[in-house]
Amino acid sequence: MSIQTSETDDVPLSPDIKFHNQEWSQVVDELSTPYPDGLSTKEATDRLHSNGYNEVTLKPTPKWVMFLRQFNNIIVYILVVAAVLTLLMRHYSDSVVIGLVVVINALIGYLQEVNASNALEKIKRMLSVEATVIRQGQRVDIPARELVTGDLVYLEAGDNVPADLRLLDVDNLRIQESSLTGEADSVLKNDAVLSANMPLAERYNMAYASTAVTNGSATGIVVATGLQTQIGQISQSVSDVVGNKSPLTRELDKLGHGISWFIVAASVVMFVIGWLLDIYTLPTLVMAIIAMIVGSMPEGLPAATSIILATGVQKLTKKHAIVKTLPAAETLGAVDIIASDKTGTLTKNEMTVQDIVIDEKHYQVTGTGYAPNGQILYNQQPVELLQDKSLAMFLTMGHQANDTFLTETNGIWEVNGEPTDAAFLSAYYKAFGQKKPQLVEIDRIPFDSDYRYIARLVENQKHARFIAIKGSPDKLFDLAAHDDQFDRQYWEKQATHFAQQGKRVIAVGYLDVATTLSEVTHEHLAVEGIKLLGLAAIIDPPRPEVVEAIADMRRAGIRVKMITGDSADTARAIGSQLGLANNIKAMTGAEVESLSDRALAKIVPKYDVFARTTPQDKLRIVAAYQANGLVTAMTGDGVNDAPALKKADIGVAMGIKGTDVAKDSADMVLATDDFSTIKVAIAQGRRLYDNIRKTILYLLPTSFAEGLIVVFSILLRQPMPLTATQLLWINMVSALTLQLALIFEPAEPGIMTRPPRRASAKLMTRHDVIQMVYVSVIIAAVALGVFEYLNGKTSFAVASTMAVNVIIFGKIFYLFNIRTAAPALSRSFWTNPMAFVTIAVMILLQLVFTYVPFMQSVFSTAALRLENWGGIIATGTIVLIVAELDKYRRLFKSRH
């Protein structure tokens, strides 16, 4: 399926849209299938040759193409130019280092793309290996890849659905579709005709490839195979979606373009001026221009950015957030919208009894999920079961009217059967522990869609027999009508109250029977009636940590939107519990499908939850937010989330319950499935952005200062004070020391109370440009002035060495200003001990540069006297004083 690009486009429909809207006999005729004998071997072979195998076969991008396109980046171009220039100047070590940075960046990007392509391989593995088909009147097992449209497929509990099927003959069939639709509970299927616009989660007469049969059996006819199945369409979407560049990468690209063109233009202008004025000989002029380019080019910027991001990735890993791409570590800091799947992400995907009503009493059940950790409370006090026999009876009957198993393996509780039944088992264990009631089963009626209850005949240790029954309230209310004390109006009001809260309501009852009864029948229940014990309200509960995390994100200006396969009422109820907004507004998948991309983008910011959505809906919703200029994250755990995870500016997958497809499509994986980790990641992302921005604001003026020295020398017709090797030394050692100090800079106060930065915001503001100009001019002018003052009084080597150290100490003092938004001489002065370590290393390197004979011969330096160092420190403070006065001016202006 494709995404629309204009308001007048028709919304595409999935291939099975006509099949669930047709009588099954009509589908059989349309697909030319002999029923009930199935296709002949010859006809199946012909269709296989005509339509291809039932598998996902997408043409992958060649690995070498993935690798080569990593070099199509302006930052890489700058690095390559720097490497070539240093190679031409025979500074081979510098060329090797810069070349390694280029290759490493390319490898990182290449591995990102390979991870995305691996998601498609995981989808292929999800398709069933074998299928049971009916051909020529015989039931046979064949490889699932050989299924063709029109094949009759037999399903039973434990099977994976091998292709998309229109169901023909259904016997109590239940299918777990959560990875595809987001529904927490398994879906009861039938063969009835449905309306044409029925959402995917409500197409009860369809079975979809990769979903699992949990109960019952059925025969269905194959209506779609391979890429035409819903899972195939998802794989196509994952393949087609082009991942967006992160906001930081886009900003760095723009900055890189601007810097490179500015340096090239300035170099050409200075070359022409120098040549026309005949200031230097041509070889000397060429070397001066090369020195200007080398000095001005901030070749340490990509490396510094990568190092800052890499350290952020390491910190997030310690917080159980595994970041697969470096830019993703920062992207969360810019997020405006978090579009989140509900089931398994915001909720536990484990049905839980939250409320029990018995007579006039309303009990609360604490604890979430299948793990039996919690209590049953009445009036906020734990209940004594020995004194509350009605509650004990209710829990026992709920436990007995059950054919599901709940087991613990290595501390993880797993369900084999229906999640709703598992919720009753968990509630029983919370009250009684894991000791099962001493009851023996005599007979049972399994759950079926026709009567919507399960009944079980059991015998206790005193040989008394009774029937435990659990099911749909309306069905049990009919059976309880025999009881003169049954107040149907009261119980219907209770059921409606819970249903409006988005909870699933289950009624529980029992019937005492004769000790001779050995069979439970619908007729017996209808004649004798039952005693209604009460109602249980069940919900897939929000994760406890999620509510607090969403509240923190709202304070940070980030809006969380929930996308789910549940009904709109349930979605609103969960959204309210999560605190997504003060007034929850919901939109359904059908409404999303009815809108063009442009129309959807106009209204999507108004909505908080999206119900009954398909994978394509999720993809379009994410794209709609992005069309509004909002940086959008997507969180999810299912196959149905994969396209949206890849499309989002950053995709976040659950690490424990997340499918391999979702994890491969995402940029970040939460190892503990803890949604609140995103809050930590957002704070870390904002800190990383701040530190990268500080690095840029530090690096550019100090680099441009070196270029300005060359410019001033040419315009003033003065000897060149610095050699190209000295300029390379300045860039290299400051990149290895001073720039690294900003990696360890802690977060600014109030980082999670400020709103997200605008997507259109630039790395450098107008004031930043002004500061860059005056800082670079001060450093260049002071260094050139010192050189001119000493050049006539001492040797060229001493004057040049003084100029280099003036630049270095100008950088050192400027570092104190740029580290924090607070005044340099405040408590923030001591918050980054690594700043002092890097300064000490820088000074040590400068002493080596100045006094070691080998360095003097390589870099044309000379030893300095003690009073020279006093002058260097004094001139360096000029930068700090001017920059701090500017900072105080801005702080004063912001407060008034």
Side-chain angles (χ1 to χ4, degrees), residues 421-438:
D421 290 344
F424 277 90
L425 296 180
S426 178
Y428 178 89
Y429 295 154
K430 288 176 184 178
F432 294 101
Q434 295 182 45
K435 185 178 180 181
K436 297 180 181 179
Q438 300 298 308

Side-chain angles (χ1 to χ4, degrees), residues 783-854:
L784 194 59
V786 169
F787 173 80
E788 286 300 315
Y789 176 77
L790 294 176
N791 193 28
K793 298 182 179 181
T794 61
S795 66
F796 176 87
V798 171
S800 182
T801 305
M802 278 288 290
V804 171
N805 281 291
V806 165
I807 294 172
I808 291 293
F809 274 80
K811 286 190 171 194
I812 290 174
F813 281 99
Y814 183 51
L815 177 65
F816 287 110
N817 169 267
I818 210 70
R819 273 186 48 218
T820 174
L825 299 178
S826 65
R827 284 181 296 179
S828 300
F829 186 81
W830 307 106
T831 56
N832 184 4
M834 284 303 298
F836 299 97
V837 174
T838 58
I839 290 171
V841 173
M842 182 80 218
I843 293 173
L844 180 63
L845 288 172
Q846 282 308 110
L847 293 175
V848 172
F849 172 81
T850 304
Y851 292 105
V852 173
F854 170 75

Side-chain angles (χ1 to χ4, degrees), residues 777 870 886:
V777 169
D886 183 30

Side-chain angles (χ1 to χ4, degrees), residues 438-469:
Q438 300 298 308
L439 301 170
V440 178
E441 179 179 347
I442 306 299
D443 189 31
R444 81 169 69 181
I445 298 176
F447 186 91
D448 191 279
S449 58
D450 290 339
Y451 41 83
R452 302 206 303 278
Y453 59 74
I454 178 175
R456 194 173 180 219
L457 175 62
V458 294
E459 182 179 87
N460 63 20
Q461 290 178 308
K462 296 180 180 179
H463 304 294
R465 295 187 178 185
F466 57 87
I467 297 171
I469 185 169

Side-chain angles (χ1 to χ4, degrees), residues 519-533:
E519 182 182 12
V520 55
T521 64
H522 300 298
E523 293 75 17
H524 183 84
L525 291 170
V527 171
E528 297 296 329
I530 66 167
K531 170 69 175 178
L532 184 75
L533 290 172

Side-chain angles (χ1 to χ4, degrees), residues 510-551:
Y510 80 101
L511 173 65
D512 287 320
V513 297
T515 56
T516 57
L517 185 70
S518 60
E519 182 182 12
V520 55
T521 64
H522 300 298
E523 293 75 17
H524 183 84
L525 291 170
V527 171
E528 297 296 329
I530 66 167
K531 170 69 175 178
L532 184 75
L533 290 172
L535 299 176
I538 302 174
I539 200 167
D540 180 14
R543 293 174 176 270
E545 71 277 4
V546 169
V547 177
E548 181 183 351
I550 289 176

Side-chain angles (χ1 to χ4, degrees), residues 599-762:
L600 180 61
K602 286 180 181 178
I603 65 171
V604 74
K606 301 176 184 178
Y607 290 88
D608 308 293
V609 297
F610 300 87
R612 291 295 190 225
T613 54
T614 66
Q616 190 70 11
D617 294 335
K618 293 185 179 185
L619 186 61
R620 293 187 65 214
I621 290 166
V622 168
Y625 280 118
Q626 291 174 325
N628 284 280
L630 299 170
V631 179
T632 305
M634 173 71 194
T635 67
D637 65 343
V639 180
N640 58 330
D641 301 313
L645 287 169
K646 187 178 177 185
K647 175 64 177 175
D649 294 293
I650 178 168
V652 183
M654 300 295 113
I656 297 174
K657 292 191 175 180
T659 61
D660 287 341
V661 180
K663 286 185 275 190
D664 277 344
S665 298
D667 303 292
M668 186 170 83
V669 178
L670 303 182
T672 59
D673 283 10
D674 187 348
F675 183 85
S676 63
T677 304
I678 297 178
K679 178 181 66 176
V680 177
I682 289 172
Q684 183 66 218
R686 292 184 174 189
R687 185 188 76 86
L688 293 177
Y689 180 82
D690 284 352
N691 289 351
I692 289 171
R693 187 173 176 276
K694 290 173 184 178
T695 300
I696 292 169
L697 297 182
Y698 174 75
L699 179 62
L700 293 185
T702 54
S703 293
F704 288 164
E706 300 166 39
L708 278 178
I709 290 176
V710 178
V711 172
F712 290 159
S713 299
I714 292 175
L715 294 178
L716 297 173
R717 301 191 178 197
Q718 299 295 325
M720 198 62 60
L722 302 175
T723 66
T725 55
Q726 289 174 341
L727 290 171
L728 276 173
W729 167 264
I730 294 171
N731 285 350
M732 181 178 67
V733 296
S734 60
L736 292 174
T737 56
L738 300 180
Q739 281 175 228
L740 298 183
L742 295 171
I743 295 173
F744 306 97
E745 200 61 42
E748 296 281 356
I751 197 169
M752 284 300 287
T753 58
R754 70 191 192 201
R757 71 177 189 273
R758 295 190 305 275
S760 58
K762 298 180 179 179

